[in-house]
Amino acid sequence: MNIHANDGISQSGIDALAGFGFTLTTTNVAQEQLINYINENNIAGILVRSATTVRKDLIDACPGLKLIGRGGVGMDNIDVDYAREKGLHVINTPAASSSSVAELVFAHLFGAVRFLYDANRNMPLDGETKFKALKKAYAGGTELRGKTLGIIGFGRIGQATAKIALGLGMDVAAYDPFMNEATVTVDFFNGQSVDINIKTRSFDEVLAQSDFVTLHVPAQDKPTIGAAEMAKMKKGAGLINAARGGVVDEEALVNALESKHLSFAALDTFVNEPTPAVKLLMHPSISLTPHIGAATNEAQDRIGTELAQQIKDLLG
Ligand code: NAD
């Protein structure tokens, strides 16, 4: 049976699919040629990440297609309900990248409380001539231990973030309208683990009590954190968005940083991807990454093998 991965797939996924007896193609076919490609090559399963879209027209035009797979979480690029109505399997790998996103949150957080985002911009320019001035400018950092991390959206990534926070000795203030409590298991290298029960708090409590707030909600129609919510946050707090562009109001964020109400922000996702607002990119108080939350070798490996296993279970 033929499977086509149009946006790439990890070697572990290629190996697993081959091991299960599937024939896999991985050339990137242009969106407008995809229907022909699928029909001419008798493709039974198409795998995509976020670049390729699988809409109603493609589903209608490819009667041999049995499965659509998304390597990763969000499925906004697939007409999921329509495909399922037509009897197709639609699968994704929702848990594969949770730890990777959580670690990126902490990469930003550790960096931000010691001003690394700014030091890394200025050391190459002035480190040789103004070392003492820079040393003074970047003194006054803070530790994470003992601080409170506010987590908005306590699903897979929110809880993976909580594990790291708890391991560091932080308090976790979680808000999730669909959850009253969750037990988070903190695993140690030697096989020991500790279960910690976290009772969610109200949105306003989380905003008011947290030293840093990180968002892990699904894509929203309107910002979850806008000017009003930022005003409820502690003065000097930091805000992290590695969820989706638009869950933080970017205009309000710049204003809150300019007024020094917030001391820093960290952004992995942006409203205007792939051309984020220049005033965010140039802002000296924002730690920036280009939507790389899930982009670790480990997450890509897990995505590949999880997809392969599901394909075997459904089509094998
Ligand atoms: P999940 O479905 O496991 O968790 C989302 C949680 O948010 C759920 O528990 C839900 O009840 C809660 N929620 C929904 N609406 C809410 C609201 N208005 N306020 C507070 N909580 C709300 O999803 P996940 O796997 O944890 O993913 C979370 C986000 O991370 C998604 O937006 C996803 O697109 C994003 N993500 C980003 C990257 C990256 O590269 N940066 C990678 C993977 C996922």
Side-chain angles (χ1 to χ4, degrees):
M1 199 175 282
N2 298 333
I3 308 291
H4 176 66
N6 205 46
D7 298 330
I9 182 168
S10 68
Q11 190 59 45
S12 61
I14 295 174
D15 295 344
L17 281 167
F20 294 141
F22 292 98
T23 304
L24 179 71
T25 45
T26 57
T27 21
N28 179 253
V29 179
Q31 186 74 46
E32 60 278 10
Q33 288 157 13
L34 202 50
I35 290 174
N36 277 346
Y37 184 87
I38 291 171
N39 290 332
E40 280 169 13
N41 294 285
N42 296 320
I43 303 294
I46 173 134
L47 307 182
V48 300
R49 286 181 180 162
S50 53
T52 303
T53 57
V54 184
R55 298 282 173 224
K56 185 174 177 296
D57 60 328
L58 187 149
I59 295 163
D60 284 339
C62 300
L65 202 58
K66 295 186 172 59
L67 177 143
I68 304 165
R70 157 78 161 106
V73 186
M75 296 210 279
D76 344 4
N77 52 330
I78 301 168
D79 283 341
V80 178
D81 292 343
Y82 187 75
R84 289 193 174 136
E85 267 170 37
K86 289 270 166 176
L88 275 76
H89 301 289
V90 185
I91 58 172
N92 68 345
T93 58
S97 56
S98 303
S99 298
S100 297
V101 180
E103 288 197 14
L104 184 73
V105 167
F106 275 89
H108 278 293
L109 254 181
F110 273 117
V113 292
R114 305 304 290 269
F115 317 112
L116 300 195
Y117 51 89
D118 204 42
N120 277 324
R121 286 165 172 162
N122 287 321
M123 283 295 278
L125 301 173
D126 296 327
E128 212 179 4
T129 52
K130 298 180 185 157
F131 191 90
K132 281 189 174 169
L134 292 177
K135 182 175 163 124
K136 201 170 162 199
Y138 302 130
T142 53
E143 295 181 353
L144 295 181
R145 180 174 300 277
K147 303 294 188 305
T148 300
L149 180 66
I151 301 178
I152 309 292
F154 208 45
R156 287 173 290 255
I157 299 174
Q159 292 185 33
T161 306
K163 288 183 191 203
I164 304 177
L166 293 167
L168 282 170
M170 299 182 82
D171 185 14
V172 166
Y175 165 67
D176 192 308
F178 304 103
M179 209 181 292
N180 294 323
E181 61 179 338
T183 299
V184 172
T185 304
V186 184
D187 298 301
F188 298 97
F189 76 99
N190 60 358
Q192 283 183 292
S193 63
V194 177
D195 286 347
I196 297 184
N197 183 267
I198 308 264
K199 296 210 170 15
T200 54
R201 307 181 194 180
S202 74
F203 192 24
D204 280 356
E205 279 172 327
V206 171
L207 293 174
Q209 294 167 0
S210 302
D211 299 294
F212 317 105
V213 171
T214 181
L215 286 135
H216 300 292
V217 297
Q220 306 284 315
D221 295 335
K222 63 180 188 59
T224 304
I225 304 266
E229 290 74 25
M230 287 176 206
K232 292 177 185 170
M233 289 171 65
K234 274 189 188 176
K235 184 166 169 49
L239 182 63
I240 300 134
N241 180 14
R244 277 296 162 105
V247 305
V248 168
D249 181 331
E250 294 179 347
E251 195 76 39
L253 176 63
V254 170
N255 292 338
L257 292 168
E258 300 283 298
S259 71
K260 307 275 187 222
H261 180 63
L262 296 185
S263 60
F264 70 85
L267 301 177
D268 185 51
T269 54
F270 303 83
V271 171
N272 255 345
E273 292 181 28
T275 50
V278 172
K279 66 180 164 192
L280 297 175
L281 301 179
M282 299 298 288
H283 203 286
S285 304
I286 306 184
S287 178
L288 297 152
T289 44
H291 205 150
I292 54 165
T296 63
N297 297 335
E298 291 84 351
Q300 296 311 313
D301 277 353
R302 284 192 292 266
I303 285 171
T305 47
E306 280 180 28
L307 278 178
Q309 186 60 48
Q310 291 185 66
I311 292 169
K312 176 185 174 260
D313 294 345
L314 294 167
L315 303 182

